[in-house]
Amino acid sequence: MSQKVDLVIFGGTGDLSTRKLLPALYQLQRHNLADRLDRIIATGRGEMDSASFIEEARNNLQTFLPDGTWDDAQWSAFSDRLEYVKVDADNAGDYTLLAELLAAGSAPGALYYLATLPSLYGEICRQLDAAGIVDDASRVVLEKPLGHDLESCQEINEQVAQVFAEEATFRIDHYLGKETVQNLLALRFGNQLFHPMWNNTFVSSVQITVAEEIGVAGRGSYYADTGALRDMVQNHLLQVLSLVAMEPPATLKATDIRDEKMKVLRSLEPITSANVKARTVRGRYAAGAVGGKAVKGFLEEDAFADADDTETFVALKANINNWRWAGVPFYLRTGKRLSRRYSEIVIEYRRQSFSLFANDPQELTNKLVIHLQPEESISLHTVNKKPGLTSKLKLQPVELHLTDESQNKGDSYDAYERLLLDAIHGDQTLFMRRDEVETAWRWIDSIIEAWEENSTPIKSYNAGTMGPTASTALMAVDGGSWHE
């Protein structure tokens, strides 16, 4: 029989908990998927009783839940699970109070969600262990970013490993909770149409884009010391890349899937000072207009005036040195203050070696486009005859939608709902293993080192565009262009 767990959220009054975690947990309650969850215990540094926290949670949920999902009866059941206890990360006495609260419950195990600064992860785990509230049934969830480079990542991982075994450690990346990202497994390995053509014989290039309209105001010194490469590429984009490029796993178990992802990360060709100029573009947004509104440039923002070595945009060309993908460039792109918010994967297929159609334009290639946000969908770009009575056959592009939105709309969910549900059930499939995170950092560190050695400049782009023109040239050298 499945055991219940208490979920303890460190940083339970913070922005992530308020906007994402508590709404996701409420939705699990609403969909009758919270049967394994006993209590939700929020911790914070503020003096507050549980009644006050529950009232605050109610107000926040009514603000951040999707329209039409609030239900008084569901709230009543959900609020019965909520409790609050004051915990300072380095105060041993506070952990004693938490231990007493956990002992008063009936759940045999606890799931600790660390929605705090990563620099606190080691101390929190040490204090939990010292308080005697970590046992074989305990698990821990770690939010990104896990470190600032390989060395700091290894340090955090080692501190956590002193208390929690690897099979009890869940490193979260919310991109892996998106329905369409998970659907990559079904698309690739469940369809004879696509699986045989998922290799360098048929695929000419792969693009992964995560574009954001928002700037970085409100993120304080974090972004000034981080930049787009560390913030987005190291986790989100490399995780998506590994799912796109991995070999078929032996089974759908977490270990087998993560083994194949690791092989991809190990096969990434290093970007060094010898090739960094040809493989990467750094950018930073200047003043411009987004959504019809004038916005400041990055260095004009209050917290970033001195961050003149921080990029808000990065585009790069990655090569995977293995039999399946040799010769196929993977283009990664992400940035702030771009023209629109969207994330997508584009699989571009090779053109036929010979065309019967004299007017066959170069840009009319077959593409499989996997949209991750704001809408999740999959479409196949093909060509057919342009209607008309002319004597010559002329081609036109046609987009075939492979997602039945009418069926799936009611089943949509936020990524944190899936990831929290899996963590509660102990399923690590969509979470990152220690060696994955550290291997990704090793690749990213080589890029940063190459930038420093070459004094790679940061190119300016106007807010509201799709980044510096150099990112267009990055693909044009290979005869390609970004899918817009």
Side-chain angles (χ1 to χ4, degrees), residues 15-325:
D15 191 64
L16 177 64
S17 179
T18 298
R19 292 174 175 268
K20 291 294 185 179
L21 302 184
L22 289 176
L25 291 165
Y26 169 88
Q27 294 285 54
L28 292 180
Q29 163 84 36
R30 195 170 71 88
H31 293 301
N32 297 316
L33 294 172
D35 56 299
R36 288 279 307 275
L37 186 60
D38 195 13
R39 292 178 296 171
I40 302 168
I41 302 172
T43 81
R45 293 181 296 175
E47 296 286 353
M48 186 189 311
D49 60 19
S50 290
S52 298
F53 171 76
I54 291 171
E55 182 59 27
E56 186 176 294
R58 176 189 176 96
N59 294 334
N60 289 329
L61 284 174
Q62 290 180 325
T63 300
F64 296 113
L65 281 173
D67 291 342
T69 57
W70 178 263
D71 180 273
D72 287 335
Q74 291 292 347
W75 163 250
S76 178
F78 183 71
S79 63
D80 286 344
R81 301 177 186 268
L82 296 178
E83 298 193 42
Y84 176 85
V85 60
K86 177 183 176 295
V87 176
D88 273 332
D90 58 355
N91 189 327
D94 289 347
Y95 289 85
T96 300
L97 296 176
L98 175 60
E100 293 173 355
L101 183 59
L102 289 170
S106 58
L111 174 64
Y112 299 103
Y113 196 118
L114 308 192
T116 67
L117 292 173
S119 58
L120 298 176
Y121 291 173
E123 178 64 15
I124 292 173
C125 291
R126 188 185 70 80
Q127 293 281 6
L128 289 171
D129 190 37
I133 45 179
V134 177
D135 56 29
D136 291 342
S138 302
R139 299 189 292 275
V140 65
V141 180
L142 308 178
E143 265 287 346
K144 79 165 190 79
L146 208 61
H148 187 73
D149 54 17
L150 176 60
E151 183 179 1
S152 58
C153 177
Q154 289 175 325
E155 182 180 356
I156 293 171
N157 277 329
E158 191 55 40
Q159 291 171 347
V160 173
Q162 297 300 314
V163 180
F164 291 93
E166 180 61 29
E167 56 268 23
T169 304
F170 292 70
R171 298 171 188 84
I172 200 166
D173 183 339
H174 74 268
Y175 259 65
L176 298 185
K178 293 181 178 296
E179 179 76 11
T180 316
V181 172
Q182 297 170 60
N183 203 24
L184 275 170
L185 297 177
L187 183 74
R188 288 193 55 192
F189 306 126
N191 291 284
Q192 181 64 14
L193 175 65
F194 294 115
H195 175 61
M197 297 175 20
W198 209 271
N199 54 56
N200 54 10
T201 302
F202 296 97
V203 176
S204 64
S205 69
V206 177
Q207 299 176 31
I208 302 173
T209 294
V210 177
E212 299 180 285
E213 286 184 328
I214 61 172
V216 291
R219 298 185 73 181
S221 61
Y222 164 73
Y223 202 90
D225 295 332
T226 304
L229 184 69
R230 290 184 175 99
D231 185 44
M232 296 295 289
V233 180
Q234 186 275 330
N235 44 77
H236 296 334
L237 274 74
L238 287 186
Q239 282 295 307
V240 173
L241 177 148
S242 64
L243 283 170
V244 171
M246 74 180 195
E247 294 296 316
T251 72
L252 292 178
K253 293 180 180 179
T255 299
D256 291 332
I257 290 174
R258 298 199 292 182
D259 282 347
E260 297 305 330
K261 288 166 62 185
M262 261 302 297
K263 291 178 185 177
V264 174
L265 294 173
R266 289 196 185 108
S267 298
L268 283 171
E269 181 179 292
I271 294 178
T272 66
S273 58
N275 58 21
V276 70
K277 184 176 180 180
R279 298 280 185 86
T280 70
V281 175
R282 302 176 77 193
R284 180 169 55 228
Y285 66 83
V290 178
K293 296 181 179 180
V295 296
K296 295 179 180 179
F298 175 73
L299 294 180
E300 297 168 353
E301 303 272 10
D302 293 340
F304 307 105
D306 298 325
D308 56 359
D309 195 39
T310 301
E311 79 281 350
T312 63
F313 174 97
V314 63
L316 56 87
K317 174 184 174 181
N319 291 333
I320 300 174
N321 291 335
N322 63 22
W323 285 100
R324 181 180 292 271
W325 296 114

